[in-house]
Amino acid sequence: MKKLKYLFTTLLCFSVSVIFAQNYVSKVSRDSVSILNARTEVLKMASKVNQLKLSEAKQEADIEKQKVKIIDLRGSDKDAAKESDRLADALKEGKETDMKKAEKMSKKASGTAKDLKNALEKLQKQIDQVEETRTTIQTEERKLASRSPIIIYKN
């Protein structure tokens, strides 16, 4: 008889626990679900803004590298131009008789001038890209500022 009572109470406990386990009471209202979805969109937008800021920082670093390269090119351009002028003056005065050397230096001077021009154009393109990225960041930040959902929980 005791075994039967024990078996019956055990069976009753399991059946009651199964019944209660199937009832789910939500802690968040349906309106709050839409607010949560809006919040995830806001977080995605904030992530996008942060990625844009990272790319802007990388572009800024590239600009700094390009500026250093331009400074080096300006120095070598001045040196090549001075050497070319010196050789041209020496040829005019008759002190130098090697025409090939003078030609080589003039080609080197024009080559460094072309390299400097290309580097300046590349720098300008990079600056334009950074400005475009900044305007995109400002646009995304304005969009982000217009959204700020509040999460409401049931008690």
Side-chain angles (χ1 to χ4, degrees), residues 11-75:
L11 186 62
L12 183 66
C13 287
F14 280 127
S15 63
V16 169
S17 64
V18 169
I19 291 171
F20 282 125
Q22 292 178 356
N23 289 337
Y24 173 75
V25 179
S26 66
K27 299 274 184 179
V28 181
S29 69
R30 289 180 187 253
D31 294 335
S32 293
V33 171
S34 64
I35 291 173
L36 287 170
N37 288 334
R39 183 68 182 147
T40 56
E41 289 177 20
V42 168
L43 290 173
K44 287 178 185 176
M45 290 173 67
S47 173
K48 182 179 179 182
V49 168
N50 287 336
Q51 287 175 350
L52 286 171
K53 287 181 179 181
L54 283 174
S55 69
E56 177 192 13
K58 287 178 184 176
Q59 290 172 351
E60 289 281 340
D62 290 342
I63 286 175
E64 291 303 318
K65 289 177 187 175
Q66 191 69 23
K67 284 181 180 179
V68 170
K69 183 178 176 183
I70 287 173
I71 290 171
D72 291 342
L73 283 173
R74 281 185 178 161

Side-chain angles (χ1 to χ4, degrees), residues 58-151:
K58 287 178 184 176
Q59 290 172 351
E60 289 281 340
D62 290 342
I63 286 175
E64 291 303 318
K65 289 177 187 175
Q66 191 69 23
K67 284 181 180 179
V68 170
K69 183 178 176 183
I70 287 173
I71 290 171
D72 291 342
L73 283 173
R74 281 185 178 161
S76 63
D77 184 43
K78 285 180 184 178
D79 293 342
K82 284 179 184 178
E83 184 65 22
S84 178
D85 287 343
R86 186 189 65 75
L87 283 174
D89 290 342
L91 280 174
K92 285 180 187 175
E93 295 173 3
K95 294 179 182 176
E96 185 73 41
T97 58
D98 192 7
M99 289 289 270
K100 288 186 178 183
K101 187 176 181 183
E103 259 183 56
K104 186 177 178 183
M105 284 309 295
S106 67
K107 285 182 181 179
K108 183 179 177 183
S110 66
T112 56
K114 286 179 184 179
D115 289 343
L116 181 62
K117 182 181 175 185
N118 291 338
L120 287 170
E121 288 173 357
K122 185 176 179 181
L123 177 68
Q124 187 59 41
K125 287 179 184 178
Q126 287 176 339
I127 289 172
D128 292 340
Q129 285 178 344
V130 168
E131 289 175 358
E132 184 179 320
T133 304
R134 285 182 183 155
T135 57
T136 306
I137 289 172
Q138 289 174 351
T139 304
E140 292 297 322
E141 284 179 339
R142 276 190 241 121
K143 287 179 186 177
L144 189 60
S146 67
R147 295 182 165 196
S148 58
I150 299 171
I151 301 172

